[in-house]
Amino acid sequence: MGTPFDPTNDPHRRYNPLLGEWVLVSPHRAKRPWQGQSEEPNNEQKPGYDPTCYLCPSNTRVNGEVNPQYTGTFVFENDFAALKKDTEVKSEKNGLFQFETEQGCSRVICFSPDHSKTLPELTDQERSDVVACWKEQTRELGASYRWVQVFENKGAMMGCSNPHPHGQVWAQQHLPSDPAKKLLQLKQYFSENHTPILLDYAEQEIAKDERVVCKNDDWVVVVPYWAAWPFETLLLPRFDVQSMHHLNDAQSTALAQILGDITSRYDNLFETSFPYSMGWHSAPFDNEEHPHWTLHAHFFPPLLRSASVRKFMVGYEMMAEAQRDLTPEQAADRLKALSNVHYKQRENTNG
Ligand code: H2U
């Protein structure tokens, strides 16, 4: 017989009830040496305005259109949209060969005219304007499309094509694969427990206090028990709400505050602009009630050990299932111990 199971050291699998998938946790692997790829952290101070940036106010985009002299958020139709609203509706199933056309739209959302800033470096008021913009886009696109995906790719490591602070919104007629899986899981839990899983989960995480990174009266950020990415977090409301555009003013203000908190902690972790993909899951827009659904956001950041060493989701993860090294509890402890004041602001205050 081996030594008794130690979750901080021994391999185990954790269940993700949102997707019905498992994650392999191998904490002992965090100690292994690394001689692989190192990313080049980019800590260079950007100018407030970059004449060569496609997203800065009054600059000309790739397609020749000129951006207005915007002063807050600015939304435009993606010049290289992945989805088009007028694609002919068509589907076909021929044995193993099945397709359906998709109608939708993709837009770019500039968070600020200031090229040098990122979400954590904006003021609470400026972040509130971003939240208002997300709400407006969700409301508008939800009137025409079944799924509205608000997201942000931050940093070149996550495929972001431009350092200007921006995100995107894509909307489409069909429910994409992961939200479709999630919908089934959330419905299943609700039919068995008569409460939304994510409200139960938020309450239980707050009570346990093992994976909570930060919270305010309306929101909580946790490293989920089933996190796959090293410093993955889940941003949850502490009240019943299905969609982004249903947030009231106080809830939106509290959201702007906690967004500043978690993204500042992320940047403080390795004192670098922390890359991630984040996105919002509002309930599908299909004219049905969704009492099982709770609005939430995922942050999927790739960095593992430093500003230059990332987690690769490759071989085993591509072929079998997600795998992580440090435990979610260790990741939460690291993030929780950090200041929520952005390191650049501290440097400025300290002269
Ligand atoms: P990402 O950095 O997350 O890739 O988002 C930037 C988007 O901006 C990208 O999808 C679009 C790209 O297609 N874009 C334009 O629509 N017009 C431009 O002039 C440059 C970039």
Side-chain angles (χ1 to χ4, degrees):
M1 215 177 77
T3 47
F5 170 62
D6 171 5
T8 65
N9 198 48
D10 296 333
H12 58 282
R13 294 169 80 219
R14 297 193 187 190
Y15 183 65
N16 176 347
L18 303 184
L19 292 177
E21 293 172 355
W22 291 81
V23 179
L24 177 63
V25 186
S26 317
H28 55 293
R29 267 174 55 89
K31 298 175 197 129
R32 78 191 196 283
W34 181 256
Q35 294 184 319
Q37 179 177 322
S38 283
E39 312 287 336
E40 201 53 59
N42 185 357
N43 281 345
E44 169 195 321
Q45 184 56 41
K46 292 174 288 167
Y49 168 74
D50 177 350
T52 66
C53 169
Y54 293 120
L55 305 185
C56 274
S58 75
N59 287 2
T60 306
R61 297 207 304 275
V62 172
N63 70 351
E65 219 166 294
V66 179
N67 295 329
Q69 188 63 49
Y70 64 94
T71 53
T73 57
F74 166 55
V75 180
F76 65 89
E77 298 291 333
N78 197 311
D79 300 314
F80 308 91
L83 294 152
K84 294 187 290 181
K85 66 172 188 289
D86 49 7
T87 305
E88 182 195 356
V89 179
K90 201 168 175 204
S91 63
E92 201 175 282
K93 185 169 183 332
N94 187 1
L96 292 176
F97 303 91
Q98 183 177 356
F99 81 87
E100 57 194 14
T101 56
E102 185 64 307
Q103 299 77 42
C105 83
S106 14
R107 296 177 178 168
V108 177
I109 302 175
C110 297
F111 295 156
S112 158
D114 188 336
H115 184 83
S116 70
K117 296 280 167 62
T118 58
L119 262 193
E121 296 168 274
L122 299 180
T123 62
D124 275 336
Q125 181 53 55
E126 289 165 333
R127 265 189 303 276
S128 285
D129 294 344
V130 173
V131 171
C133 182
W134 287 340
K135 285 166 65 173
E136 186 48 39
Q137 290 298 314
T138 304
R139 177 184 294 111
E140 184 197 323
L141 293 169
S144 309
Y145 297 106
R146 183 165 288 135
W147 186 251
V148 179
Q149 187 58 65
V150 170
F151 65 97
E152 178 193 7
N153 292 323
K154 181 168 170 249
M157 208 184 286
M158 288 312 285
C160 179
S161 59
N162 184 316
H164 193 103
H166 71 281
Q168 300 191 44
V169 57
W170 293 17
Q172 66 193 99
Q173 214 47 264
H174 295 97
L175 204 52
S177 306
D178 277 5
K181 267 194 237 172
K182 190 176 271 184
L183 182 61
L184 289 179
Q185 293 292 120
L186 268 51
K187 278 186 173 170
Q188 173 79 19
Y189 183 93
F190 192 81
S191 72
E192 289 165 7
N193 300 277
H194 315 291
T195 50
I197 184 171
L198 284 172
L199 277 192
D200 278 2
Y201 180 62
E203 207 173 282
Q204 289 174 27
E205 285 289 18
I206 290 167
K208 280 183 191 289
D209 202 19
E210 289 169 3
R211 283 169 294 274
V212 173
V213 174
C214 51
K215 61 180 191 290
N216 59 28
D217 287 347
D218 286 323
W219 301 89
V220 60
V221 177
V222 301
V223 177
Y225 180 76
W226 51 83
W229 293 94
F231 293 96
E232 174 178 335
T233 56
L234 183 58
L235 169 50
L236 295 167
R238 301 173 67 180
F239 53 92
D240 195 25
V241 62
Q242 279 81 42
S243 183
M244 184 68 145
H245 70 296
H246 291 151
L247 296 177
N248 67 28
D249 287 350
Q251 293 158 350
S252 304
T253 304
L255 175 56
Q257 186 276 324
I258 204 152
L259 277 170
D261 190 320
I262 181 58
T263 54
S264 293
R265 285 172 196 271
Y266 272 154
D267 278 10
N268 289 344
L269 183 62
F270 300 128
E271 300 219 341
T272 194
S273 183
F274 201 72
Y276 57 69
S277 270
M278 74 85 75
W280 285 98
H281 280 182
S282 290
F285 293 85
D286 49 12
N287 297 318
E288 284 176 28
E289 295 290 312
H290 289 287
H292 42 265
W293 196 283
T294 307
L295 167 73
H296 59 282
H298 296 281
F299 282 86
F300 298 132
L303 289 179
L304 173 61
R305 297 172 183 219
S306 65
S308 57
V309 177
R310 60 165 297 168
K311 164 76 181 170
F312 285 95
M313 290 283 189
V314 287
Y316 179 83
E317 290 88 341
M318 282 180 162
M319 307 296 159
E321 67 187 15
Q323 182 272 339
R324 61 177 294 120
D325 297 344
L326 80 168
T327 65
E329 295 72 36
Q330 290 162 344
D333 283 346
R334 300 263 308 267
L335 291 171
K336 191 163 45 180
L338 294 162
S339 166
N340 63 359
V341 178
H342 195 270
Y343 69 93
K344 284 191 194 163
Q345 207 174 320
R346 279 203 312 270
E347 282 164 12
N348 292 341
T349 332
N350 296 339

